[in-house]
Amino acid sequence: MHGILGMANLAIASETIEQTREYTETLCGTAEGLLHVINDILDFSKIEAGKMTLEHVPFSIPRLLDDIHKLLSPQQLARA
């Protein structure tokens, strides 16, 4: 949630359309990440109820690392 709020504030304060677009894309990615966390919590409920089924979901490690870098870069700039 902190990532979403931080990116939203950066997008609001951005001076260029390019910055706003970049922050908004990161904001969407962060919101998707939060949705995954919520789904994971719901999955724990399924496990406890004995109703969990496993599925194979492909993902890209380079994209994941790039998304993490985009999320954490503004925080590093703020600390510098």
Side-chain angles (χ1 to χ4, degrees), residues 14-24:
S14 65
E15 297 179 9
T16 66
I17 293 173
E18 292 82 19
Q19 277 183 328
T20 302
R21 181 175 182 80
E22 183 180 329
Y23 292 145
T24 304

Side-chain angles (χ1 to χ4, degrees), residues 3-4 9-10 16 28 32 42 48 62 64 70-71 73 79:
I4 293 171
N9 286 327
L10 286 172
T16 66
C28 287
E32 289 173 3
L42 293 174
E48 289 177 351
L64 174 66
K70 286 179 184 176
L71 179 63
S73 291
R79 292 182 182 173

Side-chain angles (χ1 to χ4, degrees), residues 27-43:
L27 175 63
C28 287
T30 304
E32 289 173 3
L34 182 57
L35 182 60
H36 287 290
V37 170
I38 291 168
N39 286 332
D40 289 345
I41 292 169
L42 293 174
D43 286 344

